Amino acid sequence: MESPSLLTTAKDWTTTSLHRVFAVQGGEDDLSYVNNSDSQALAITLSKPILISSLQSFKHVPDQTSPIRIVDLGCATGSNTFTTVDTVVETLQRRYTTVYGGGGSSEFEAFFCDLPSNDFNMLFKLLTEKQKADSLAKYFAGCVAGSFYDRLFPRGTIHVAVSLSALHWLSQIPEKVLEKGSRTWNKGKTWIEGAKKEVVEAYAEQSDKDLDDFLSCRKEEMVKGGVLFVLMGGRPAGTSSQFGDQDTRTKHPFTTTMEQAWQDLIDEGLIDEETRDGFNIPAYMRSPEEVAAGIDRCGGFKIEKMEFMKIVEHSDEKQEEWKKDPVSYGRARTNLVQAAIRPMVDAYLGPDLSHELFKRYENRVSTNREFLHITCFYGVVVLSAIRI
């Protein structure tokens, strides 16, 4: 069988082209990240006390001639980024008023940063609507298009850096997992959960490099005493699995159903195995130990607090509702995974085959009654650190 003509070759996923297509789904339709980021919002809400506490350690003296600069690294689109920036601004405003009185006012500047493929038009459309609804604009806003694994700002200019549900995405697919016939070849799979030890180690190696690059860049960009707050997909301490329990391993959007949908395309003759084997999801869930080791390697930061949290996929009420309507559940679940990786799949398979893949994904979810009786948890590692 002849393989379909791919828009992007497997090798391209390991080099510079991934950042051109890697973005959450833009717009405001049912597939958009704007409408499929409730679990990220819940993670932000649960970690908010850690963020506020870390901002109490911020020792910067307000200067009316120089703004406080805040960056959100990997901002995506939607209200989650605005909620966090609002929290930073409001917390610091209250602190300045308490400590310095009326003379402690300072202006704030917020930079929303993501890859060039991000839907910045939608982001700033929503921001403009938000600012019009508020009585006063609390900060000046701008965007920076680029990878947070590179330098984005001049040395010593950033006071608060946050990154929310983004740092588990890698800068590239490890080249080793695409080397046919090698021990590190991720044959038969599109992600690393349940993969060979050598494949997981290749991802871990890439993850360490990426974390080192991220921290080294922030070390240069941030002022001494600045606050770094990161919320990333993670896994519990002391486990090699990407997840902490069997139900999550079974039900997570990137595992069982994703592999079945790709296999369906193969079985129906729409793609060959080589095409499937050339696609790997560029995500790695770090443990708290791996994050702490990265901080130690980089230096320049002192960990204030680090915590692993479990975020439930949806409410019990929603679960009961979907038990009565599994077709709606299948659609919602498929929208969720498309919001995360549809642009990347479109670029790899082309929009037509991508559509076929997610049709089969939706059918698999809708007909799997087991999914409506087990719960998936999204693990996150929350880190607050001070630039020293």
Side-chain angles (χ1 to χ4, degrees):
M1 181 198 64
E2 183 177 344
S3 178
S5 176
L6 301 181
L7 300 184
T8 309
T9 65
K11 190 66 176 175
D12 283 335
W13 293 112
T14 69
T15 54
T16 58
S17 63
L18 181 58
H19 75 276
R20 298 175 190 160
V21 300
F22 186 38
V24 297
Q25 187 75 19
E28 292 182 281
D29 62 16
D30 290 344
L31 306 186
S32 67
Y33 181 81
V34 169
N35 291 315
N36 291 279
S37 53
D38 288 349
S39 60
Q40 291 91 335
L42 178 57
I44 291 169
T45 298
L46 293 176
S47 62
K48 184 176 178 179
I50 299 176
L51 171 59
I52 292 174
S53 176
S54 68
L55 292 170
Q56 303 305 321
S57 302
F58 186 53
K59 299 297 193 295
H60 179 76
V61 177
D63 180 356
Q64 294 184 356
T65 66
S66 180
I68 300 296
R69 294 187 180 89
I70 305 158
V71 300
D72 184 349
L73 301 155
C75 61
T77 59
S79 62
N80 288 344
T81 183
F82 306 141
T83 298
T84 304
V85 171
D86 285 349
T87 297
V88 173
V89 171
E90 291 165 5
T91 301
L92 292 181
Q93 282 178 330
R94 286 194 301 268
R95 185 170 184 276
Y96 288 161
T97 300
T98 300
V99 176
Y100 300 103
S105 61
S106 184
E107 293 187 312
F108 293 85
E109 192 173 18
F111 293 98
F112 298 94
C113 311
D114 213 315
L115 294 171
S117 47
N118 188 56
D119 191 351
F120 285 106
N121 287 334
M122 177 55 60
L123 178 70
F124 277 84
K125 173 180 177 290
L126 296 172
L127 178 60
T128 300
E129 293 171 357
K130 174 184 179 300
Q131 290 178 330
K132 285 180 178 179
D134 290 345
S135 57
L136 293 172
K138 297 176 182 177
Y139 53 84
F140 298 94
C143 72
V144 174
S147 170
F148 54 44
Y149 294 120
D150 297 324
R151 282 281 301 278
L152 297 172
F153 298 96
R155 183 174 289 108
T157 58
I158 302 303
H159 300 89
V160 180
V162 301
S163 181
L164 310 168
S165 300
L167 197 53
H168 53 278
W169 296 107
L170 301 178
S171 65
Q172 66 176 61
I173 300 299
E175 294 188 17
K176 295 178 181 179
V177 306
L178 297 176
E179 294 174 355
K180 296 178 184 178
S182 70
R183 294 181 63 84
T184 56
W185 185 23
N186 198 22
K187 180 174 173 55
K189 302 186 71 63
T190 56
W191 197 41
I192 58 170
E193 180 60 26
K196 294 180 295 185
K197 176 172 69 75
E198 292 84 0
V199 173
V200 177
E201 289 173 349
Y203 263 76
E205 183 180 315
Q206 183 65 50
S207 169
D208 284 347
K209 179 186 181 302
D210 284 348
L211 182 58
D212 290 352
D213 289 343
F214 176 88
L215 293 172
S216 296
C217 291
R218 306 298 82 79
K219 180 179 175 180
E220 292 294 315
E221 296 167 348
M222 294 181 67
V223 302
K224 296 290 182 66
V227 173
L228 174 65
F229 179 80
V230 180
L231 186 159
M232 71 188 93
R235 69 180 194 273
T239 176
S240 59
S241 168
Q242 293 286 282
F243 308 115
D245 63 275
Q246 183 57 48
D247 285 352
T248 296
R249 283 191 284 274
T250 299
K251 194 179 181 184
H252 190 277
F254 293 167
T255 56
T256 306
T257 309
M258 181 61 66
E259 292 180 359
Q260 290 172 338
W262 281 90
Q263 188 62 46
D264 286 342
L265 294 186
I266 295 171
D267 293 344
E268 295 170 35
L270 295 176
I271 65 171
D272 58 18
E273 290 187 2
E274 184 178 356
T275 299
R276 186 267 318 278
D277 295 343
F279 183 85
N280 284 261
I281 297 172
Y284 181 82
M285 309 301 169
R286 298 180 182 90
S287 68
E289 298 99 327
E290 288 173 316
V291 177
I295 294 286
D296 287 342
R297 287 193 302 269
C298 179
F301 291 97
K302 176 187 176 184
I303 296 176
E304 290 280 289
K305 188 174 181 63
M306 184 157 54
E307 187 173 328
F308 173 79
M309 295 181 175
K310 291 171 65 174
I311 311 299
V312 67
E313 58 176 338
H314 47 65
S315 66
D316 292 341
E317 292 78 13
K318 183 63 74 173
Q319 183 103 334
E320 292 303 314
E321 176 184 326
W322 277 329
K323 285 179 182 178
K324 301 172 186 175
D325 188 3
V327 173
S328 292
Y329 173 68
R331 186 180 309 114
R333 190 76 173 175
T334 306
N335 289 347
L336 179 70
V337 74
Q338 288 185 95
I341 65 171
R342 178 66 184 259
M344 187 167 52
V345 179
D346 280 358
Y348 183 73
L349 288 179
D352 293 339
L353 276 176
S354 177
H355 176 71
E356 295 300 322
L357 175 73
F358 289 110
K359 272 176 56 179
R360 284 149 185 79
Y361 186 99
E362 181 175 339
N363 180 64
R364 286 283 187 175
V365 176
S366 298
T367 56
N368 190 333
R369 304 291 297 187
E370 178 190 7
F371 281 176
L372 293 169
H373 297 276
I374 61 177
T375 301
C376 173
F377 292 94
Y378 301 119
V380 296
V381 172
V382 185
L383 166 74
S384 67
I386 302 297
R387 175 72 172 90
I388 56 176

